Amino acid sequence: MLQPRVKASKCLVSAFKRVFRPSLQVWARRRCNVAAIMPEAAGFEGVSDHNNLQEYSVSNSESFWAAAARQRLSWIRPFHTVHDCDLSRGKIRWFDGGKLNVSVNCLDRHVHACPERVALIWEKDEPGSEVKVTYRQLLEMTCRLGNLLRRRGVRRGDVVTIYMPPCPLAVASMLACARIGAAHNVVFAGFSAQALADRIRDAQSSTVITVNQGVRGGKVAELKRTVDTAVHSCPTVQQVLVAMRTENPVAMTAKDVAMEEEMLQEDVVCEPEAMDSEDILFLLYTSGSTGTPKGLVHTQAGYLLYAALTHRYVFSYHDGDVFGCVADIGWITGHSYGIYGPLANGGTTVLFESTPLYPDPGRYWEMVQRLKINQFYGAPTAIRLLLKYGDRWVQKYDRSTLKTLGSVGEPINTEAWEWYHRVVGDGRCTVVDTWWQTETGGICISPRPSGPDAEIVPGMAMRPFFGIKPAIMDPEGNVLASNHASGALCLSQPWPGMARTIHNNHQRFVETYCQPYPGYFHTGDGASRSEEGYYQITGRLDDVINVSGHRIGTAEIEDVVNQCDAVAESAVIGYSHEIKGEGVYVFVVLKKDVEVDEAELSRQLNVMVSKKIAKYACPDCVQLVQGLPKTRSGKIMRRVLRKVAERDFNSLGDLSTLDDPAVVQKIIQGHRDRSKKEQQQQTP
Ligand code: 7RM
């Protein structure tokens, strides 16, 4: 679709002013208001508050995104078409005709404006040893690395795999790829050699960038050795660039390149490639419902614009703020809110190398105090973990710089939300539960932006971002138009940040996201819309269970279970039940030093669930476990628990992404012991 041309001659404008002066004053007032909300939107007619700006952004998405793209991004050549999409075929194109370079947008333009501004604060594993990197320094690093990659044969369109912990050289590696037009493929540095090899092979990478060793939670990880093992089964790999995170030398092979040494030989100026808007910026692998991970593809302009805009407006990021996203760079959250959003906005962003418990449960808040963090963005799983250790670890530290607290990755239960708000934020910070996916590129639903006084309901993502139009579907594919509805969450129109395809498998992209509800983007999550029109994410669709004909989100039950004093964490699974269709199976991790047996806990939970939800939602089975099977990003692998609950122990599927695969055997043993006890009780 072409951009509308809106240009009136001067004399026409003055004639218009003479006739319509009174109404023009009203318009000018409005224009003034909206500019305070979002300067990009100044000039949108009839827009005066967040609500009508949101409506405008959805019904005039071309003019909305055109204005945002022109004002937020620096273009080498302007785009001629805002969007050209056909969701039903998985055709998604934004800003065609435009050329730009993402690294220039994230670095050069800020170096021109304020070279000594801090771009990165590298919060190394050992508290108090942080390293600050200015925009000038980061540009220099990026250029040297860009030149090195070019000299070593990396070309526009190649895929470079990055296997590094969060550190400035990892960011420079990503931006160097962007500078020379290569796509990066960051693999979380906690993945095994096999998982890494699968991803290198699927991406057909010939270059890998890594570090000699990683350091996390006081422990050393032999990352280079893991890469060596992976590369054995990756015939495409020709070279491995090795940076030194520690001083310990590692064995180097013929393929290995001493990265920092060679960087020193390179020029500090590196000509940026002029990239087309729809060229690939990066691949990022994520798990689907099958065993094979999918390499989601994000492109240049749309992704960057969406990351920048959401970062600014969801978190209310202002110039000079210090943004603290604790997600690893190996996940989409690290990409969009650890790096691209903040850097596109000329912000200062924290790269967190450690863990929430190192050296003690006060780490996050000690860091907040020391680095004067203004926005903190983390995951509910960590919040629940820290909550267990009590308030004193938080209260020890000055958190008065905090303004916004963000939550991402999974539903945040009310208890964790309230603790985050009351204890961490002293009841004065804005808490934003942000819903989005690797596929969406950036935040799609969250309580902000909205008026500063707009209500925020605990544990609810609530409001669609600009340009996002959610739809709730029934199983037959009908749009549920009224409020007070629940069903499959779809997004009704394309937005610039969405993934374009799955690397080498567009068919799978179309089948997974576009075909279930033709014309809509299928998220795979369930959601409900309240009477007030607010959205609540109920969890993956496969997590919605049906008990005696009643629908219930496992997250809703977990919410209640987690309110039980004895419970640290839980996972609720639906399993086939003779009479009810599906029964409720609860896996529970107890708080430290709590002693209660399964029967007693089961009784307590039944009372609580029937009181807070309904009798039908009561647990049929409660199993105590030492730990839940979690991926390294902290997501519970429900698929495994479902298999256990179904006694299907022989087809557990791919466990390579689990943080600690040993917990699975313990859970199976616990399940067997439990069944034996039950049988003994039945046969006297
Ligand atoms: C950003 C990220 C995506 C899946 C998504 C949901 C779940 C994420 C929330 C959430 C409830 C939230 N990308 N999810 N955020 N569920 N409330 N605020 O996590 O690709 O790794 O995962 O995570 O199920 O589909 S992701």
Side-chain angles (χ1 to χ4, degrees), residues 332-333 408-411 433-438 525 540 635:
I332 189 69
T333 306
V408 62
E410 44 175 330
D433 172 11
T434 62
W435 174 85
W436 59 296
Q437 311 174 302
T438 305
D525 278 312
R540 296 298 304 184
K635 284 200 208 319

Side-chain angles (χ1 to χ4, degrees), residues 482-497:
S482 64
N483 283 351
H484 199 75
S486 69
L489 176 65
C490 289
L491 300 173
S492 312
Q493 57 189 46
W495 64 101

Side-chain angles (χ1 to χ4, degrees), residues 124-336:
K124 296 170 75 174
D125 195 46
E126 212 46 55
S129 63
E130 74 273 12
V131 173
K132 293 182 176 168
V133 180
T134 65
Y135 273 94
R136 188 180 48 75
Q137 292 168 324
L138 186 57
L139 175 61
E140 190 178 308
M141 258 197 256
T142 301
C143 286
R144 286 181 190 271
L145 203 37
N147 289 328
L148 175 59
L149 291 171
R150 264 192 191 136
R151 188 165 56 76
R152 293 199 147 266
V154 177
R155 296 284 166 262
R156 194 176 164 135
D158 291 352
V159 182
V160 173
T161 296
I162 298 174
Y163 187 71
M164 294 169 109
C167 60
L169 276 176
V171 177
S173 300
M174 295 162 74
L175 293 170
C177 289
R179 196 158 193 93
I180 66 169
H184 58 71
N185 167 34
V186 180
V187 178
F188 174 59
F191 273 124
S192 66
Q194 205 194 319
L196 171 61
D198 290 344
R199 287 158 178 77
I200 293 174
R201 273 197 305 269
D202 190 81
Q204 295 149 296
S205 252
S206 55
T207 301
V208 178
I209 309 181
T210 190
V211 292
N212 62 334
Q213 297 178 313
V215 185
R216 194 162 174 264
K219 294 193 199 91
V220 169
E222 300 293 341
L223 299 187
K224 164 65 165 61
R225 218 180 284 160
T226 309
V227 172
D228 287 344
T229 311
V231 164
H232 272 307
S233 58
C234 299
T236 53
V237 175
Q238 283 164 7
Q239 54 186 349
V240 178
L241 275 55
V242 186
M244 297 295 281
R245 166 60 183 86
T246 66
E247 272 155 22
N248 308 325
V250 284
M252 298 288 271
T253 71
K255 286 181 180 172
D256 299 338
V257 177
M259 180 160 118
E260 287 124 313
E261 270 171 45
E262 295 214 359
M263 277 171 74
L264 287 176
Q265 317 295 315
E266 298 295 337
D267 203 87
V268 296
V269 177
C270 174
E271 189 57 34
E273 285 287 318
M275 303 302 289
D276 291 322
S277 296
E278 284 300 338
D279 283 336
I280 297 179
L281 178 61
F282 64 85
L283 313 184
L284 187 61
Y285 284 83
T286 189
S287 323
S289 45
T290 74
T292 338
K294 350 176 217 194
L296 285 159
V297 172
H298 283 282
T299 56
Q300 314 267 330
Y303 169 80
L304 189 65
L305 176 65
Y306 198 73
L309 221 62
T310 47
H311 171 253
R312 182 176 288 263
Y313 294 114
V314 170
F315 298 98
S316 193
Y317 184 86
H318 288 88
D319 260 7
D321 284 349
V322 176
F323 192 79
C325 168
V326 290
D328 193 276
I329 56 163
W331 314 119
I332 189 69
T333 306
H335 281 57
S336 301

